[in-house]
Every structure is written in C-alpha cells, then in structure tokens.
Amino acid sequence: NSAKDCRDGSDEENCPDLSCGKDLSNFYGSFASPDLFRADHSGVDLYCTWYVDTQDNRHVILQLDLQLGYNDYVRVYDGIGERSDRLVQTLSYHNNKHPVNTESTTGQLTVSYHARAKSTGHGFNATYQVKGYCLPWEHPCGSDDVCFTNRQRC
C-alpha cells in the first residue's frame, strides 16, 4: 500500500527485518541490524546473530551494505555457529564504502554483529540467496548460475 510504515519513512513492502538476530530458512531474504535507521543503542552494546539455513546444498550468496561505526564489526561464518575455524570474513567501518559480497561453501551461514553502546554507526542491511536461485525480480543468464535485474546486462 502507499502508507509510509518503515522507520525510514518508506513503504512497508520493502522494510528490512530489524530483529536483533533470527533463524532464517528461505531460499532468499533480507535482514538488517536493529540500529539501521537510528544510532541509539540505549546505552548498551548490541550483540546480534543471524543463522541462515536454506535447507539446500547449494552455496549461499550474502550481500551486505555497511554503515558501521568505528569499533563495530560484522563477522560472517561458513555454516551454523560462530566457530573461529569457519570464519569467512570480519568486516569493519573500512568496508562501508561499497557493498560486500561473500559466499558460503554450503547452504548455511552465520552473521554476527557487534556495535558499541556509543557507536555513531547505523549497522547494516543484508540480502541473501541460494546460488543459482534468481530472486523474483531477476532473470537467469547463461549456465553459470548468474542472475540479473532488468537494469543490469546479461
């Protein structure tokens, strides 16, 4: 509808889920840190963890748009759980300037987020999808599991 129900004033149809962690089990989806539209952490550090289990053996592709504060970080792990031997990437405010893409080796990944109580950052917005599974607004291109929107070229 045309009601502006998201915290940023946009329509609720495309509102990201702002839960502080969650179990996600679809082929694709989006989620965001609870501080995406506000930097108020109520005087406490934020610790949030999202578990993505697509129930599919194909890799998961994760895209993150970061707005991290100076001491904030996001860690991406291959599989379910925060095991140091499965750490794929640690992201900081240095990664804020462009979208970050990463890929799991299975249909599962874990995203953990930590923001300091006095952080001026706004966390992140993330989308994920099973590799080779095109989102409803995308089209397949070629035989190498690549998907494109109407604005992109095949």
Side-chain angles (χ1 to χ4, degrees), residues 117-135:
K118 302 211 185 275
S119 175
T120 57
H122 290 274
F124 68 90
N125 189 20
T127 59
Y128 70 92
Q129 69 191 85
V130 169
K131 186 173 184 177
Y133 180 82
C134 293
L135 301 173

Side-chain angles (χ1 to χ4, degrees), residues 1 3-4 9 18-20 28 38-39 47 49 67 73 75 81 86 90 97 102 106 124 146-147 151-152:
N1 68 31
K4 307 296 185 197
L18 298 175
S19 302
C20 184
Y28 69 93
R38 58 182 170 74
Y47 293 95
T49 304
Q67 300 175 45
Y73 62 84
R75 289 189 175 140
R86 306 285 302 211
T90 298
K97 298 199 183 331
T102 191
T106 67
F124 68 90
V146 178
C147 301
R151 294 167 56 195
Q152 297 171 318

Side-chain angles (χ1 to χ4, degrees), residues 14-63:
N14 295 312
C15 280
D17 184 342
L18 298 175
S19 302
C20 184
K22 195 171 188 175
D23 291 335
L24 303 163
S25 59
N26 294 324
F27 267 37
Y28 69 93
S30 65
F31 58 97
S33 60
D35 55 350
L36 182 64
F37 300 124
R38 58 182 170 74
D40 173 26
H41 297 146
S42 305
V44 297
D45 287 7
L46 272 177
Y47 293 95
C48 307
T49 304
W50 292 263
Y51 302 99
V52 177
D53 185 354
T54 62
Q55 309 293 315
D56 191 285
N57 291 330
R58 291 177 286 180
H59 299 193
V60 177
I61 298 171
L62 176 72
Q63 180 174 327

Side-chain angles (χ1 to χ4, degrees), residues 10 21 23 31 65 98 124 142 145:
S10 63
D23 291 335
F31 58 97
D65 292 308
H98 51 83
F124 68 90
D145 296 329

